[in-house]
Amino acid sequence: MSPPRTVAALALGLAVAALLSGCGAASAPAAGPAEILAARAWTETLEADGEIQAAAKTPLTVPGSGWTSRILVDMVPDGSSVTKGQVVARFDAPQARAELSQADVELLRKTLAEQANRDNAAVERGVLAGDRAKVEDDLALSRRYAGVDLSVFARNKILDALADVGFLTKKRAYLDWKGGQVQARTAAQDAVLHSQRDSVLQNAAQQRKSLESLELVAPHDGVFMLAARWDGAKPQVGANQMAGEPFGTLPDLDQLVAHFSVPEGQAYGLKPGLPVRVRLAGTGTELDLLVTRVGNSASTISRESPVKYSDFDAAIATATARKLGLRPGQALHGTVRLVSKASALTVPNIALVQDGAAYAVYTDDGGHPVKHKVELGLRGPVRSEIKSGLAPGARIVLLPPKEAKT
C-alpha cells in the first residue's frame, strides 16, 4: 500500500509546484498599455472657428489734434459699406466753442488795453511837452536878464536870475529824462500786451481749427468697422471722445482673408501652405484655401481668461470674394489638414520621452520596459512619425515609466 501513497504524494507535489510556477509567471511586471508599431494611414486635422477679415486696414481716428474733447453726434452703422469721401461720423466740440468765445472776449480786452496804453502815453508826452515848453521860455528869459549890465539891477534880482538859469537847466534835463522813461515804459507795456494778444490769437486759431475738424471722412471705399476699446466697448452716439483716439477701421475689400484663432496647445504643426477647408456660416458654401500666415506668438483675447491663442490666415482670391459678396466680420469654420499620409510608422505623442535634445520610446520586452532612442519625422498634435530607431512589430508602451519622464 505504501508505493501507491508515495506516487500520489509525488503527483500532488508536482501539481503544487506547477501551480506555484504558473503563479510566478503571471506575477511578472507588466509594462502597461501598449500598441504594436505598424505602417498605417495617418491623418490629422485641426478644427477652428474664425471670421473674414481684411489683410489691409486703414485706421480711422477721431478728427482733431491735441487730444481735444469731442462728442459723437452721428455715425454710419457699424459694418456698413461706405464710399470714398463719404462722412462716416460727425462730432461736436462744446469745450472748443466755449474757449473760442472766451478767446474772442479776451482778444477784445487786450486790444482795448493796448489802445488805452497808447492814449495814456500820448497824454503823458503832451504834459511833458507843455512843461518843457514853459521851462524853455523861462530859461530864455532868465538868460536874457543874466546877460545885461549888472549895475542897473539890484543884487537880489541878479542872484535870482542866475539861480533860475541853473534850476531851469536841471529841470529841462529832468523833463527830457522823464520823457525817455515814459517812452520806455510805454514800449514795455506794449510788448507785454502784444505778447498776451498773440497768445490769445494763437489759442483762438487752435479752437477754430478744432471746430473745423468735426467730420470723419472715408479715405477710400470699404466697410466701416468700429474699433473696440480695451474693455470691449465700442463708440456710441453721445459719448465723449478724444481727438486722435482710435475710432474704427476701413478694411480693403480687395484683400480678404479667413482669420482663425486656436488655443496655443492646438497650434502645433501649423505652417504656411497647409490646405484648409472653409465653410461659411449660414450659407453652407465651402472654399478650399491654403494657410498663408501663422502668428509668431500667442496672446490672450479676453481679460477674463488666461488662455493664450495663436492665429493664422488663409487668403481668399479677390475674384472669389467679389463673386460671393464676402464682407469682413462673416463667421466661418475651418478644417486644416495637418497631416495626410497613406502609410507611415507613427506613435502616440504620449509615448514619447524627451531625452536631452532627442526623444526616446519604451517597448514592452517580456513584460519589462526597454528604452529606445528614436529619430522623429513629421509631428502632429496627436501622433509623431518614427524615421529610425524602431522596427515594425515593436510593442510600444503608451505610458512610459514615471522615472523616465522629464
Side-chain angles (χ1 to χ4, degrees):
M1 294 295 295
S2 90
R5 287 182 186 158
T6 303
V7 173
L10 182 59
L12 180 60
L14 291 174
V16 172
L19 181 61
L20 292 175
S21 176
C23 291
S27 63
E35 175 183 293
I36 303 301
L37 181 64
R40 55 175 63 91
W42 180 29
T43 301
E44 291 197 36
T45 59
L46 172 65
E47 304 289 330
D49 292 320
E51 65 177 11
I52 294 177
Q53 291 187 0
K57 304 176 183 178
T58 301
L60 301 177
T61 58
V62 178
S65 59
W67 291 96
T68 52
S69 178
R70 296 281 192 270
I71 293 179
L72 181 59
V73 176
D74 186 25
M75 65 176 175
V76 298
D78 187 18
S80 58
S81 299
V82 296
T83 58
K84 181 179 179 180
Q86 180 180 347
V87 177
V88 175
R90 289 185 173 86
F91 299 83
D92 193 14
Q95 182 179 351
R97 296 185 189 279
E99 291 187 9
L100 178 58
S101 178
Q102 180 83 17
D104 288 339
V105 173
E106 193 67 20
L107 181 61
L108 180 59
R109 290 177 56 189
K110 298 302 179 185
T111 302
L112 293 176
E114 286 181 339
Q115 186 61 42
N117 184 54
R118 288 192 290 269
D119 292 344
N120 291 335
V123 170
E124 287 192 44
R125 286 195 296 269
V127 172
L128 289 174
D131 291 345
R132 196 177 189 289
K134 185 175 182 307
V135 168
E136 288 290 348
D137 291 343
D138 292 343
L139 184 59
L141 184 61
S142 297
R143 284 174 175 171
R144 181 186 303 172
Y145 280 106
V148 299
D149 186 4
L150 298 179
S151 60
V152 178
F153 301 98
R155 185 176 180 81
N156 60 339
K157 290 184 178 181
I158 296 171
L159 292 175
D160 288 342
L162 293 174
D164 287 344
V165 170
F167 170 74
L168 292 173
T169 301
K170 291 181 181 289
K171 186 175 182 179
R172 183 178 63 179
Y174 166 73
L175 290 175
D176 290 341
W177 171 83
K178 190 173 183 180
Q181 291 297 307
V182 169
Q183 184 176 0
R185 184 175 67 253
T186 301
Q189 291 176 346
D190 275 343
V192 171
L193 292 172
H194 188 70
S195 176
Q196 293 175 347
R197 185 170 179 272
D198 287 345
S199 178
V200 174
L201 281 172
Q202 184 178 5
N203 183 35
Q206 290 177 350
Q207 303 310 323
R208 287 192 179 91
K209 184 179 180 180
S210 178
L211 292 174
E212 291 172 357
S213 304
L214 295 178
E215 291 185 346
L216 181 59
V217 179
H220 57 78
D221 296 350
V223 177
F224 171 65
M225 306 292 291
L226 282 172
R229 300 188 308 180
W230 60 269
D231 58 356
K234 293 185 177 182
Q236 295 182 352
V237 173
N240 232 353
Q241 304 283 327
M242 300 299 292
E245 183 181 6
F247 184 74
T249 58
L250 199 60
D252 186 354
L253 299 182
D254 290 335
Q255 302 178 38
L256 298 182
V257 297
H259 179 78
F260 302 93
S261 294
V262 293
E264 185 179 15
Q266 299 180 15
Y268 190 82
L270 266 177
K271 60 182 180 181
L274 291 177
V276 52
R277 184 76 169 175
V278 175
R279 185 178 71 253
L280 301 176
T283 65
T285 303
E286 294 188 346
L287 303 174
D288 287 318
L289 307 176
L290 295 176
V291 175
T292 53
R293 185 194 67 86
V294 177
N296 295 325
S297 59
S299 60
T300 58
I301 60 176
S302 172
R303 300 181 63 194
E304 288 74 22
S305 174
V307 178
K308 291 186 176 182
Y309 286 79
S310 297
D311 65 331
F312 64 96
D313 296 337
I316 303 174
T318 302
T320 302
R322 291 178 178 175
K323 179 181 178 181
L324 298 177
L326 302 182
R327 289 290 183 270
Q330 286 183 260
L332 42 82
H333 180 82
T335 302
V336 183
R337 194 160 64 248
L338 299 174
V339 180
S340 180
K341 282 196 169 187
S343 179
L345 288 176
T346 63
V347 296
N349 289 337
I350 60 173
L352 294 174
V353 176
Q354 192 159 2
D355 187 9
Y359 287 89
V361 171
Y362 280 82
T363 61
D364 184 357
D365 187 4
H368 297 279
V370 178
K371 186 177 181 180
H372 303 269
K373 285 189 176 182
V374 295
E375 181 184 358
L376 300 181
L378 289 177
R379 300 291 307 274
V382 179
R383 305 180 70 88
S384 296
E385 183 182 17
I386 300 295
K387 293 183 67 178
S388 63
L390 286 175
R395 187 177 176 84
I396 306 299
V397 176
L398 299 182
L399 297 177
K402 293 183 179 180
E403 63 272 13
K405 292 184 178 179
T406 58

